[in-house]
Amino acid sequence: MNMEKVNSMDFGEFVDVFGNVIERCPLIAAAVWSQRPFSDLEDLEKHFFAFIDALPQSAEAGHGEQRRTTPTCSGREAGHPWEEFESNGVREVGLLEGILRCHPDLAGREQQRGTLSAESQREQSGAGLTSLGADERQQLAKLNAQYRARFGFPFVLAARLSDRAAVPGELERRLHSQPAQELRTALGEVKKIGHLRLADLLDADSSRL
């Protein structure tokens, strides 16, 4: 897909194509659409990441998941804790932690239930996380739960840049991070994932990270 095609997309087509660049956050793609035209992949990516960087942080960051319910990132269901606002006629949602809560646990319940997004399924499968043994799965489940309890959002990692042997060690290492540092690290992983997904969609070289 070339940039001329991207710039010619109407709102619905753009959101359909780019709506999962940031996991389960199609409203970010909706906001980015209004920034057309884009000069190249880097310019398009810049707008996705600028939206994330502009989001506010929760006052309860790092105090644990038990203080809030799990949000829905489409913004369509009632009861999610994201702050909502209007911009350019597009309904958007905004908390940094909300972006992270849209990501599934690695080798978690969504994978077992078959409810991962197509992109997450490919990424976890490519890292070998869909073929774990019972002991490996139990170890990851325990670490994932500890991580959520500490930080209030799931462990996010660009699985395509890792593998099943490295994930538990990285998860355990990041469990010892300070909350503010871990929020930055996790959002950096969101951007790595987004970069790879955009490169896939535009048939571009994904080596720049």
Side-chain angles (χ1 to χ4, degrees), residues 15-54:
V15 174
D16 283 346
V17 172
F18 295 101
N20 212 47
V21 166
I22 307 301
E23 179 74 14
R24 292 180 175 169
C25 292
L27 292 173
I28 296 180
V32 169
W33 176 82
S34 68
Q35 304 301 310
R36 296 167 305 141
F38 310 107
S39 58
D40 52 25
L41 170 60
E42 186 173 353
D43 185 38
L44 176 61
E45 180 178 283
K46 177 186 73 176
H47 286 287
F48 271 93
F49 295 168
F51 184 99
I52 294 173
D53 291 339

PDB file of all heavy atoms in Angstrom, residues 15-54:
ATOM      1  N   VAL A  15     -10.067   3.956   9.301  1.00  0.00           N
ATOM      2  CA  VAL A  15     -10.199   3.338  10.624  1.00  0.00           C
ATOM      3  C   VAL A  15     -10.223   1.815  10.512  1.00  0.00           C
ATOM      4  O   VAL A  15      -9.662   1.111  11.355  1.00  0.00           O
ATOM      5  CB  VAL A  15     -11.439   3.882  11.351  1.00  0.00           C
ATOM      6  CG1 VAL A  15     -11.671   3.130  12.662  1.00  0.00           C
ATOM      7  CG2 VAL A  15     -11.288   5.369  11.627  1.00  0.00           C
ATOM      8  N   ASP A  16     -10.860   1.292   9.474  1.00  0.00           N
ATOM      9  CA  ASP A  16     -10.865  -0.160   9.268  1.00  0.00           C
ATOM     10  C   ASP A  16      -9.451  -0.703   9.083  1.00  0.00           C
ATOM     11  O   ASP A  16      -9.104  -1.756   9.618  1.00  0.00           O
ATOM     12  CB  ASP A  16     -11.710  -0.524   8.044  1.00  0.00           C
ATOM     13  CG  ASP A  16     -13.204  -0.463   8.324  1.00  0.00           C
ATOM     14  OD1 ASP A  16     -13.586  -0.410   9.510  1.00  0.00           O
ATOM     15  OD2 ASP A  16     -13.976  -0.460   7.354  1.00  0.00           O
ATOM     16  N   VAL A  17      -8.641   0.023   8.327  1.00  0.00           N
ATOM     17  CA  VAL A  17      -7.286  -0.451   8.006  1.00  0.00           C
ATOM     18  C   VAL A  17      -6.316  -0.217   9.162  1.00  0.00           C
ATOM     19  O   VAL A  17      -5.529  -1.093   9.521  1.00  0.00           O
ATOM     20  CB  VAL A  17      -6.767   0.238   6.727  1.00  0.00           C
ATOM     21  CG1 VAL A  17      -5.286  -0.099   6.494  1.00  0.00           C
ATOM     22  CG2 VAL A  17      -7.597  -0.185   5.518  1.00  0.00           C
ATOM     23  N   PHE A  18      -6.384   0.966   9.778  1.00  0.00           N
ATOM     24  CA  PHE A  18      -5.377   1.356  10.774  1.00  0.00           C
ATOM     25  C   PHE A  18      -5.896   1.332  12.213  1.00  0.00           C
ATOM     26  O   PHE A  18      -5.184   1.712  13.136  1.00  0.00           O
ATOM     27  CB  PHE A  18      -4.846   2.760  10.447  1.00  0.00           C
ATOM     28  CG  PHE A  18      -4.090   2.834   9.160  1.00  0.00           C
ATOM     29  CD1 PHE A  18      -4.707   3.331   8.017  1.00  0.00           C
ATOM     30  CD2 PHE A  18      -2.785   2.391   9.071  1.00  0.00           C
ATOM     31  CE1 PHE A  18      -4.018   3.396   6.813  1.00  0.00           C
ATOM     32  CE2 PHE A  18      -2.078   2.453   7.880  1.00  0.00           C
ATOM     33  CZ  PHE A  18      -2.706   2.954   6.739  1.00  0.00           C
ATOM     34  N   GLY A  19      -7.105   0.847  12.399  1.00  0.00           N
ATOM     35  CA  GLY A  19      -7.724   0.907  13.712  1.00  0.00           C
ATOM     36  C   GLY A  19      -7.052   0.091  14.791  1.00  0.00           C
ATOM     37  O   GLY A  19      -7.272   0.341  15.987  1.00  0.00           O
ATOM     38  N   ASN A  20      -6.222  -0.888  14.416  1.00  0.00           N
ATOM     39  CA  ASN A  20      -5.556  -1.698  15.438  1.00  0.00           C
ATOM     40  C   ASN A  20      -4.041  -1.519  15.422  1.00  0.00           C
ATOM     41  O   ASN A  20      -3.313  -2.344  15.960  1.00  0.00           O
ATOM     42  CB  ASN A  20      -5.905  -3.183  15.275  1.00  0.00           C
ATOM     43  CG  ASN A  20      -5.936  -3.904  16.622  1.00  0.00           C
ATOM     44  OD1 ASN A  20      -6.527  -3.407  17.572  1.00  0.00           O
ATOM     45  ND2 ASN A  20      -5.303  -5.070  16.710  1.00  0.00           N
ATOM     46  N   VAL A  21      -3.584  -0.423  14.827  1.00  0.00           N
ATOM     47  CA  VAL A  21      -2.153  -0.096  14.926  1.00  0.00           C
ATOM     48  C   VAL A  21      -1.781   0.039  16.395  1.00  0.00           C
ATOM     49  O   VAL A  21      -0.754  -0.469  16.850  1.00  0.00           O
ATOM     50  CB  VAL A  21      -1.837   1.200  14.148  1.00  0.00           C
ATOM     51  CG1 VAL A  21      -0.457   1.738  14.509  1.00  0.00           C
ATOM     52  CG2 VAL A  21      -1.922   0.933  12.642  1.00  0.00           C
ATOM     53  N   ILE A  22      -2.614   0.735  17.140  1.00  0.00           N
ATOM     54  CA  ILE A  22      -2.518   0.762  18.604  1.00  0.00           C
ATOM     55  C   ILE A  22      -3.606  -0.174  19.106  1.00  0.00           C
ATOM     56  O   ILE A  22      -4.788   0.054  18.868  1.00  0.00           O
ATOM     57  CB  ILE A  22      -2.711   2.179  19.167  1.00  0.00           C
ATOM     58  CG1 ILE A  22      -1.761   3.174  18.478  1.00  0.00           C
ATOM     59  CG2 ILE A  22      -2.508   2.176  20.684  1.00  0.00           C
ATOM     60  CD1 ILE A  22      -0.282   2.837  18.611  1.00  0.00           C
ATOM     61  N   GLU A  23      -3.217  -1.220  19.776  1.00  0.00           N
ATOM     62  CA  GLU A  23      -4.103  -2.340  20.098  1.00  0.00           C
ATOM     63  C   GLU A  23      -5.462  -1.896  20.631  1.00  0.00           C
ATOM     64  O   GLU A  23      -5.567  -1.223  21.664  1.00  0.00           O
ATOM     65  CB  GLU A  23      -3.419  -3.257  21.119  1.00  0.00           C
ATOM     66  CG  GLU A  23      -4.237  -4.450  21.560  1.00  0.00           C
ATOM     67  CD  GLU A  23      -4.325  -5.555  20.501  1.00  0.00           C
ATOM     68  OE1 GLU A  23      -3.552  -5.534  19.524  1.00  0.00           O
ATOM     69  OE2 GLU A  23      -5.168  -6.460  20.689  1.00  0.00           O
ATOM     70  N   ARG A  24      -6.521  -2.273  19.884  1.00  0.00           N
ATOM     71  CA  ARG A  24      -7.912  -2.041  20.276  1.00  0.00           C
ATOM     72  C   ARG A  24      -8.212  -0.586  20.600  1.00  0.00           C
ATOM     73  O   ARG A  24      -9.045  -0.292  21.460  1.00  0.00           O
ATOM     74  CB  ARG A  24      -8.278  -2.956  21.445  1.00  0.00           C
ATOM     75  CG  ARG A  24      -8.303  -4.416  21.018  1.00  0.00           C
ATOM     76  CD  ARG A  24      -8.651  -5.354  22.128  1.00  0.00           C
ATOM     77  NE  ARG A  24      -8.762  -6.726  21.626  1.00  0.00           N
ATOM     78  CZ  ARG A  24      -8.850  -7.794  22.380  1.00  0.00           C
ATOM     79  NH1 ARG A  24      -8.867  -7.675  23.689  1.00  0.00           N
ATOM     80  NH2 ARG A  24      -8.951  -9.000  21.843  1.00  0.00           N
ATOM     81  N   CYS A  25      -7.554   0.308  19.901  1.00  0.00           N
ATOM     82  CA  CYS A  25      -7.796   1.742  20.075  1.00  0.00           C
ATOM     83  C   CYS A  25      -8.093   2.396  18.727  1.00  0.00           C
ATOM     84  O   CYS A  25      -7.330   3.242  18.250  1.00  0.00           O
ATOM     85  CB  CYS A  25      -6.589   2.413  20.728  1.00  0.00           C
ATOM     86  SG  CYS A  25      -6.297   1.926  22.433  1.00  0.00           S
ATOM     87  N   PRO A  26      -9.195   2.015  18.089  1.00  0.00           N
ATOM     88  CA  PRO A  26      -9.505   2.603  16.781  1.00  0.00           C
ATOM     89  C   PRO A  26      -9.766   4.099  16.839  1.00  0.00           C
ATOM     90  O   PRO A  26      -9.648   4.786  15.819  1.00  0.00           O
ATOM     91  CB  PRO A  26     -10.773   1.835  16.348  1.00  0.00           C
ATOM     92  CG  PRO A  26     -11.386   1.361  17.627  1.00  0.00           C
ATOM     93  CD  PRO A  26     -10.233   1.048  18.520  1.00  0.00           C
ATOM     94  N   LEU A  27     -10.100   4.617  18.015  1.00  0.00           N
ATOM     95  CA  LEU A  27     -10.345   6.049  18.119  1.00  0.00           C
ATOM     96  C   LEU A  27      -9.073   6.861  17.896  1.00  0.00           C
ATOM     97  O   LEU A  27      -9.134   8.024  17.508  1.00  0.00           O
ATOM     98  CB  LEU A  27     -10.963   6.373  19.473  1.00  0.00           C
ATOM     99  CG  LEU A  27     -12.387   5.840  19.664  1.00  0.00           C
ATOM    100  CD1 LEU A  27     -12.862   6.058  21.084  1.00  0.00           C
ATOM    101  CD2 LEU A  27     -13.338   6.489  18.682  1.00  0.00           C
ATOM    102  N   ILE A  28      -7.916   6.251  18.121  1.00  0.00           N
ATOM    103  CA  ILE A  28      -6.669   6.948  17.810  1.00  0.00           C
ATOM    104  C   ILE A  28      -6.523   7.076  16.292  1.00  0.00           C
ATOM    105  O   ILE A  28      -6.185   8.143  15.768  1.00  0.00           O
ATOM    106  CB  ILE A  28      -5.461   6.218  18.428  1.00  0.00           C
ATOM    107  CG1 ILE A  28      -5.557   6.245  19.951  1.00  0.00           C
ATOM    108  CG2 ILE A  28      -4.150   6.852  17.963  1.00  0.00           C
ATOM    109  CD1 ILE A  28      -4.416   5.564  20.664  1.00  0.00           C
ATOM    110  N   ALA A  29      -6.808   5.996  15.573  1.00  0.00           N
ATOM    111  CA  ALA A  29      -6.777   6.070  14.110  1.00  0.00           C
ATOM    112  C   ALA A  29      -7.783   7.099  13.606  1.00  0.00           C
ATOM    113  O   ALA A  29      -7.507   7.828  12.645  1.00  0.00           O
ATOM    114  CB  ALA A  29      -7.060   4.697  13.507  1.00  0.00           C
ATOM    115  N   ALA A  30      -8.945   7.175  14.252  1.00  0.00           N
ATOM    116  CA  ALA A  30      -9.964   8.141  13.846  1.00  0.00           C
ATOM    117  C   ALA A  30      -9.437   9.566  13.976  1.00  0.00           C
ATOM    118  O   ALA A  30      -9.678  10.415  13.110  1.00  0.00           O
ATOM    119  CB  ALA A  30     -11.219   7.954  14.699  1.00  0.00           C
ATOM    120  N   ALA A  31      -8.718   9.830  15.044  1.00  0.00           N
ATOM    121  CA  ALA A  31      -8.154  11.162  15.232  1.00  0.00           C
ATOM    122  C   ALA A  31      -7.029  11.435  14.239  1.00  0.00           C
ATOM    123  O   ALA A  31      -6.902  12.545  13.710  1.00  0.00           O
ATOM    124  CB  ALA A  31      -7.641  11.313  16.665  1.00  0.00           C
ATOM    125  N   VAL A  32      -6.206  10.424  13.969  1.00  0.00           N
ATOM    126  CA  VAL A  32      -5.085  10.589  13.038  1.00  0.00           C
ATOM    127  C   VAL A  32      -5.585  10.873  11.629  1.00  0.00           C
ATOM    128  O   VAL A  32      -4.971  11.646  10.880  1.00  0.00           O
ATOM    129  CB  VAL A  32      -4.180   9.335  13.077  1.00  0.00           C
ATOM    130  CG1 VAL A  32      -3.164   9.348  11.936  1.00  0.00           C
ATOM    131  CG2 VAL A  32      -3.460   9.246  14.417  1.00  0.00           C
ATOM    132  N   TRP A  33      -6.704  10.279  11.239  1.00  0.00           N
ATOM    133  CA  TRP A  33      -7.246  10.478   9.895  1.00  0.00           C
ATOM    134  C   TRP A  33      -7.412  11.963   9.581  1.00  0.00           C
ATOM    135  O   TRP A  33      -7.160  12.400   8.450  1.00  0.00           O
ATOM    136  CB  TRP A  33      -8.594   9.765   9.775  1.00  0.00           C
ATOM    137  CG  TRP A  33      -9.296   9.979   8.463  1.00  0.00           C
ATOM    138  CD1 TRP A  33      -9.085   9.316   7.292  1.00  0.00           C
ATOM    139  CD2 TRP A  33     -10.331  10.940   8.189  1.00  0.00           C
ATOM    140  NE1 TRP A  33      -9.920   9.787   6.304  1.00  0.00           N
ATOM    141  CE2 TRP A  33     -10.690  10.788   6.831  1.00  0.00           C
ATOM    142  CE3 TRP A  33     -10.983  11.896   8.964  1.00  0.00           C
ATOM    143  CZ2 TRP A  33     -11.679  11.575   6.233  1.00  0.00           C
ATOM    144  CZ3 TRP A  33     -11.960  12.690   8.363  1.00  0.00           C
ATOM    145  CH2 TRP A  33     -12.302  12.514   7.017  1.00  0.00           C
ATOM    146  N   SER A  34      -7.793  12.736  10.576  1.00  0.00           N
ATOM    147  CA  SER A  34      -8.047  14.165  10.355  1.00  0.00           C
ATOM    148  C   SER A  34      -6.774  14.955  10.081  1.00  0.00           C
ATOM    149  O   SER A  34      -6.841  16.131   9.714  1.00  0.00           O
ATOM    150  CB  SER A  34      -8.765  14.764  11.568  1.00  0.00           C
ATOM    151  OG  SER A  34      -7.912  14.791  12.702  1.00  0.00           O
ATOM    152  N   GLN A  35      -5.612  14.317  10.251  1.00  0.00           N
ATOM    153  CA  GLN A  35      -4.329  14.998  10.043  1.00  0.00           C
ATOM    154  C   GLN A  35      -3.783  14.809   8.624  1.00  0.00           C
ATOM    155  O   GLN A  35      -2.667  15.223   8.332  1.00  0.00           O
ATOM    156  CB  GLN A  35      -3.300  14.493  11.066  1.00  0.00           C
ATOM    157  CG  GLN A  35      -3.740  14.642  12.515  1.00  0.00           C
ATOM    158  CD  GLN A  35      -4.038  16.078  12.884  1.00  0.00           C
ATOM    159  OE1 GLN A  35      -3.229  16.973  12.631  1.00  0.00           O
ATOM    160  NE2 GLN A  35      -5.202  16.315  13.483  1.00  0.00           N
ATOM    161  N   ARG A  36      -4.522  14.133   7.748  1.00  0.00           N
ATOM    162  CA  ARG A  36      -4.057  13.944   6.373  1.00  0.00           C
ATOM    163  C   ARG A  36      -3.799  15.301   5.700  1.00  0.00           C
ATOM    164  O   ARG A  36      -4.431  16.300   6.068  1.00  0.00           O
ATOM    165  CB  ARG A  36      -5.109  13.174   5.561  1.00  0.00           C
ATOM    166  CG  ARG A  36      -5.390  11.771   6.015  1.00  0.00           C
ATOM    167  CD  ARG A  36      -6.650  11.263   5.335  1.00  0.00           C
ATOM    168  NE  ARG A  36      -7.760  12.196   5.595  1.00  0.00           N
ATOM    169  CZ  ARG A  36      -8.681  12.538   4.709  1.00  0.00           C
ATOM    170  NH1 ARG A  36      -8.668  12.034   3.496  1.00  0.00           N
ATOM    171  NH2 ARG A  36      -9.643  13.381   5.024  1.00  0.00           N
ATOM    172  N   PRO A  37      -2.951  15.338   4.663  1.00  0.00           N
ATOM    173  CA  PRO A  37      -2.235  14.206   4.066  1.00  0.00           C
ATOM    174  C   PRO A  37      -0.928  13.914   4.801  1.00  0.00           C
ATOM    175  O   PRO A  37      -0.366  14.776   5.464  1.00  0.00           O
ATOM    176  CB  PRO A  37      -1.945  14.702   2.642  1.00  0.00           C
ATOM    177  CG  PRO A  37      -1.780  16.183   2.812  1.00  0.00           C
ATOM    178  CD  PRO A  37      -2.772  16.585   3.889  1.00  0.00           C
ATOM    179  N   PHE A  38      -0.466  12.673   4.660  1.00  0.00           N
ATOM    180  CA  PHE A  38       0.792  12.241   5.249  1.00  0.00           C
ATOM    181  C   PHE A  38       1.836  12.129   4.141  1.00  0.00           C
ATOM    182  O   PHE A  38       1.541  11.657   3.047  1.00  0.00           O
ATOM    183  CB  PHE A  38       0.614  10.894   5.952  1.00  0.00           C
ATOM    184  CG  PHE A  38      -0.568  10.858   6.884  1.00  0.00           C
ATOM    185  CD1 PHE A  38      -1.717  10.160   6.551  1.00  0.00           C
ATOM    186  CD2 PHE A  38      -0.540  11.555   8.085  1.00  0.00           C
ATOM    187  CE1 PHE A  38      -2.814  10.138   7.396  1.00  0.00           C
ATOM    188  CE2 PHE A  38      -1.637  11.549   8.938  1.00  0.00           C
ATOM    189  CZ  PHE A  38      -2.781  10.840   8.597  1.00  0.00           C
ATOM    190  N   SER A  39       3.044  12.540   4.444  1.00  0.00           N
ATOM    191  CA  SER A  39       4.090  12.526   3.417  1.00  0.00           C
ATOM    192  C   SER A  39       4.702  11.150   3.227  1.00  0.00           C
ATOM    193  O   SER A  39       5.076  10.775   2.114  1.00  0.00           O
ATOM    194  CB  SER A  39       5.183  13.540   3.765  1.00  0.00           C
ATOM    195  OG  SER A  39       5.735  13.250   5.044  1.00  0.00           O
ATOM    196  N   ASP A  40       4.795  10.388   4.309  1.00  0.00           N
ATOM    197  CA  ASP A  40       5.402   9.068   4.236  1.00  0.00           C
ATOM    198  C   ASP A  40       5.061   8.292   5.505  1.00  0.00           C
ATOM    199  O   ASP A  40       4.328   8.786   6.370  1.00  0.00           O
ATOM    200  CB  ASP A  40       6.929   9.161   4.053  1.00  0.00           C
ATOM    201  CG  ASP A  40       7.608  10.049   5.084  1.00  0.00           C
ATOM    202  OD1 ASP A  40       7.049  10.227   6.202  1.00  0.00           O
ATOM    203  OD2 ASP A  40       8.701  10.575   4.807  1.00  0.00           O
ATOM    204  N   LEU A  41       5.592   7.078   5.607  1.00  0.00           N
ATOM    205  CA  LEU A  41       5.321   6.236   6.773  1.00  0.00           C
ATOM    206  C   LEU A  41       5.747   6.910   8.061  1.00  0.00           C
ATOM    207  O   LEU A  41       5.026   6.879   9.067  1.00  0.00           O
ATOM    208  CB  LEU A  41       6.038   4.895   6.615  1.00  0.00           C
ATOM    209  CG  LEU A  41       6.067   3.971   7.839  1.00  0.00           C
ATOM    210  CD1 LEU A  41       4.648   3.602   8.273  1.00  0.00           C
ATOM    211  CD2 LEU A  41       6.877   2.722   7.550  1.00  0.00           C
ATOM    212  N   GLU A  42       6.898   7.539   8.050  1.00  0.00           N
ATOM    213  CA  GLU A  42       7.399   8.188   9.265  1.00  0.00           C
ATOM    214  C   GLU A  42       6.449   9.303   9.718  1.00  0.00           C
ATOM    215  O   GLU A  42       6.215   9.481  10.922  1.00  0.00           O
ATOM    216  CB  GLU A  42       8.800   8.745   9.018  1.00  0.00           C
ATOM    217  CG  GLU A  42       9.460   9.305  10.268  1.00  0.00           C
ATOM    218  CD  GLU A  42      10.902   9.696  10.043  1.00  0.00           C
ATOM    219  OE1 GLU A  42      11.427   9.411   8.946  1.00  0.00           O
ATOM    220  OE2 GLU A  42      11.504  10.276  10.963  1.00  0.00           O
ATOM    221  N   ASP A  43       5.900  10.044   8.764  1.00  0.00           N
ATOM    222  CA  ASP A  43       4.974  11.113   9.090  1.00  0.00           C
ATOM    223  C   ASP A  43       3.681  10.543   9.683  1.00  0.00           C
ATOM    224  O   ASP A  43       3.154  11.047  10.686  1.00  0.00           O
ATOM    225  CB  ASP A  43       4.677  11.921   7.826  1.00  0.00           C
ATOM    226  CG  ASP A  43       3.810  13.138   8.107  1.00  0.00           C
ATOM    227  OD1 ASP A  43       4.007  13.786   9.161  1.00  0.00           O
ATOM    228  OD2 ASP A  43       2.937  13.447   7.274  1.00  0.00           O
ATOM    229  N   LEU A  44       3.180   9.482   9.084  1.00  0.00           N
ATOM    230  CA  LEU A  44       1.979   8.825   9.598  1.00  0.00           C
ATOM    231  C   LEU A  44       2.210   8.315  11.013  1.00  0.00           C
ATOM    232  O   LEU A  44       1.392   8.524  11.916  1.00  0.00           O
ATOM    233  CB  LEU A  44       1.592   7.677   8.666  1.00  0.00           C
ATOM    234  CG  LEU A  44       0.395   6.806   9.086  1.00  0.00           C
ATOM    235  CD1 LEU A  44      -0.877   7.629   9.199  1.00  0.00           C
ATOM    236  CD2 LEU A  44       0.218   5.660   8.089  1.00  0.00           C
ATOM    237  N   GLU A  45       3.330   7.654  11.203  1.00  0.00           N
ATOM    238  CA  GLU A  45       3.675   7.130  12.525  1.00  0.00           C
ATOM    239  C   GLU A  45       3.787   8.256  13.543  1.00  0.00           C
ATOM    240  O   GLU A  45       3.332   8.121  14.694  1.00  0.00           O
ATOM    241  CB  GLU A  45       4.988   6.368  12.419  1.00  0.00           C
ATOM    242  CG  GLU A  45       5.470   5.771  13.717  1.00  0.00           C
ATOM    243  CD  GLU A  45       6.762   4.997  13.515  1.00  0.00           C
ATOM    244  OE1 GLU A  45       6.705   3.876  13.002  1.00  0.00           O
ATOM    245  OE2 GLU A  45       7.839   5.536  13.854  1.00  0.00           O
ATOM    246  N   LYS A  46       4.358   9.366  13.137  1.00  0.00           N
ATOM    247  CA  LYS A  46       4.528  10.505  14.042  1.00  0.00           C
ATOM    248  C   LYS A  46       3.187  10.959  14.612  1.00  0.00           C
ATOM    249  O   LYS A  46       3.087  11.289  15.800  1.00  0.00           O
ATOM    250  CB  LYS A  46       5.193  11.655  13.282  1.00  0.00           C
ATOM    251  CG  LYS A  46       5.370  12.925  14.104  1.00  0.00           C
ATOM    252  CD  LYS A  46       5.899  14.060  13.240  1.00  0.00           C
ATOM    253  CE  LYS A  46       4.809  14.571  12.307  1.00  0.00           C
ATOM    254  NZ  LYS A  46       5.264  15.751  11.507  1.00  0.00           N
ATOM    255  N   HIS A  47       2.144  10.959  13.788  1.00  0.00           N
ATOM    256  CA  HIS A  47       0.836  11.405  14.258  1.00  0.00           C
ATOM    257  C   HIS A  47       0.217  10.406  15.237  1.00  0.00           C
ATOM    258  O   HIS A  47      -0.426  10.817  16.210  1.00  0.00           O
ATOM    259  CB  HIS A  47      -0.083  11.647  13.069  1.00  0.00           C
ATOM    260  CG  HIS A  47       0.252  12.895  12.301  1.00  0.00           C
ATOM    261  ND1 HIS A  47      -0.013  14.152  12.781  1.00  0.00           N
ATOM    262  CD2 HIS A  47       0.853  13.072  11.096  1.00  0.00           C
ATOM    263  CE1 HIS A  47       0.389  15.058  11.911  1.00  0.00           C
ATOM    264  NE2 HIS A  47       0.923  14.432  10.879  1.00  0.00           N
ATOM    265  N   PHE A  48       0.401   9.116  14.988  1.00  0.00           N
ATOM    266  CA  PHE A  48      -0.084   8.116  15.946  1.00  0.00           C
ATOM    267  C   PHE A  48       0.593   8.309  17.299  1.00  0.00           C
ATOM    268  O   PHE A  48      -0.059   8.318  18.348  1.00  0.00           O
ATOM    269  CB  PHE A  48       0.186   6.701  15.430  1.00  0.00           C
ATOM    270  CG  PHE A  48      -0.907   6.139  14.570  1.00  0.00           C
ATOM    271  CD1 PHE A  48      -0.857   6.274  13.193  1.00  0.00           C
ATOM    272  CD2 PHE A  48      -1.991   5.474  15.126  1.00  0.00           C
ATOM    273  CE1 PHE A  48      -1.869   5.757  12.389  1.00  0.00           C
ATOM    274  CE2 PHE A  48      -3.005   4.955  14.343  1.00  0.00           C
ATOM    275  CZ  PHE A  48      -2.946   5.096  12.963  1.00  0.00           C
ATOM    276  N   PHE A  49       1.896   8.478  17.289  1.00  0.00           N
ATOM    277  CA  PHE A  49       2.632   8.552  18.545  1.00  0.00           C
ATOM    278  C   PHE A  49       2.446   9.897  19.237  1.00  0.00           C
ATOM    279  O   PHE A  49       2.476   9.974  20.474  1.00  0.00           O
ATOM    280  CB  PHE A  49       4.110   8.279  18.292  1.00  0.00           C
ATOM    281  CG  PHE A  49       4.398   6.884  17.799  1.00  0.00           C
ATOM    282  CD1 PHE A  49       5.649   6.558  17.301  1.00  0.00           C
ATOM    283  CD2 PHE A  49       3.421   5.897  17.808  1.00  0.00           C
ATOM    284  CE1 PHE A  49       5.914   5.270  16.847  1.00  0.00           C
ATOM    285  CE2 PHE A  49       3.678   4.611  17.350  1.00  0.00           C
ATOM    286  CZ  PHE A  49       4.939   4.308  16.870  1.00  0.00           C
ATOM    287  N   ALA A  50       2.233  10.956  18.463  1.00  0.00           N
ATOM    288  CA  ALA A  50       1.983  12.259  19.072  1.00  0.00           C
ATOM    289  C   ALA A  50       0.676  12.240  19.842  1.00  0.00           C
ATOM    290  O   ALA A  50       0.550  12.874  20.907  1.00  0.00           O
ATOM    291  CB  ALA A  50       1.951  13.342  17.995  1.00  0.00           C
ATOM    292  N   PHE A  51      -0.316  11.513  19.332  1.00  0.00           N
ATOM    293  CA  PHE A  51      -1.590  11.383  20.050  1.00  0.00           C
ATOM    294  C   PHE A  51      -1.356  10.727  21.401  1.00  0.00           C
ATOM    295  O   PHE A  51      -1.861  11.189  22.432  1.00  0.00           O
ATOM    296  CB  PHE A  51      -2.573  10.556  19.223  1.00  0.00           C
ATOM    297  CG  PHE A  51      -3.938  10.457  19.836  1.00  0.00           C
ATOM    298  CD1 PHE A  51      -4.976  11.272  19.409  1.00  0.00           C
ATOM    299  CD2 PHE A  51      -4.197   9.543  20.860  1.00  0.00           C
ATOM    300  CE1 PHE A  51      -6.243  11.190  19.987  1.00  0.00           C
ATOM    301  CE2 PHE A  51      -5.458   9.458  21.443  1.00  0.00           C
ATOM    302  CZ  PHE A  51      -6.478  10.279  21.000  1.00  0.00           C
ATOM    303  N   ILE A  52      -0.584   9.642  21.421  1.00  0.00           N
ATOM    304  CA  ILE A  52      -0.293   8.954  22.680  1.00  0.00           C
ATOM    305  C   ILE A  52       0.444   9.877  23.638  1.00  0.00           C
ATOM    306  O   ILE A  52       0.103   9.980  24.823  1.00  0.00           O
ATOM    307  CB  ILE A  52       0.529   7.682  22.413  1.00  0.00           C
ATOM    308  CG1 ILE A  52      -0.305   6.670  21.622  1.00  0.00           C
ATOM    309  CG2 ILE A  52       1.017   7.066  23.731  1.00  0.00           C
ATOM    310  CD1 ILE A  52       0.475   5.456  21.172  1.00  0.00           C
ATOM    311  N   ASP A  53       1.456  10.578  23.134  1.00  0.00           N
ATOM    312  CA  ASP A  53       2.280  11.430  23.993  1.00  0.00           C
ATOM    313  C   ASP A  53       1.481  12.569  24.611  1.00  0.00           C
ATOM    314  O   ASP A  53       1.851  13.095  25.672  1.00  0.00           O
ATOM    315  CB  ASP A  53       3.447  12.004  23.194  1.00  0.00           C
ATOM    316  CG  ASP A  53       4.467  10.940  22.803  1.00  0.00           C
ATOM    317  OD1 ASP A  53       4.490   9.878  23.449  1.00  0.00           O
ATOM    318  OD2 ASP A  53       5.222  11.184  21.843  1.00  0.00           O
ATOM    319  N   ALA A  54       0.393  12.972  23.953  1.00  0.00           N
ATOM    320  CA  ALA A  54      -0.404  14.090  24.446  1.00  0.00           C
ATOM    321  C   ALA A  54      -1.437  13.681  25.492  1.00  0.00           C
ATOM    322  O   ALA A  54      -2.064  14.534  26.117  1.00  0.00           O
ATOM    323  CB  ALA A  54      -1.112  14.774  23.270  1.00  0.00           C
TER     324      ALA A  54
END
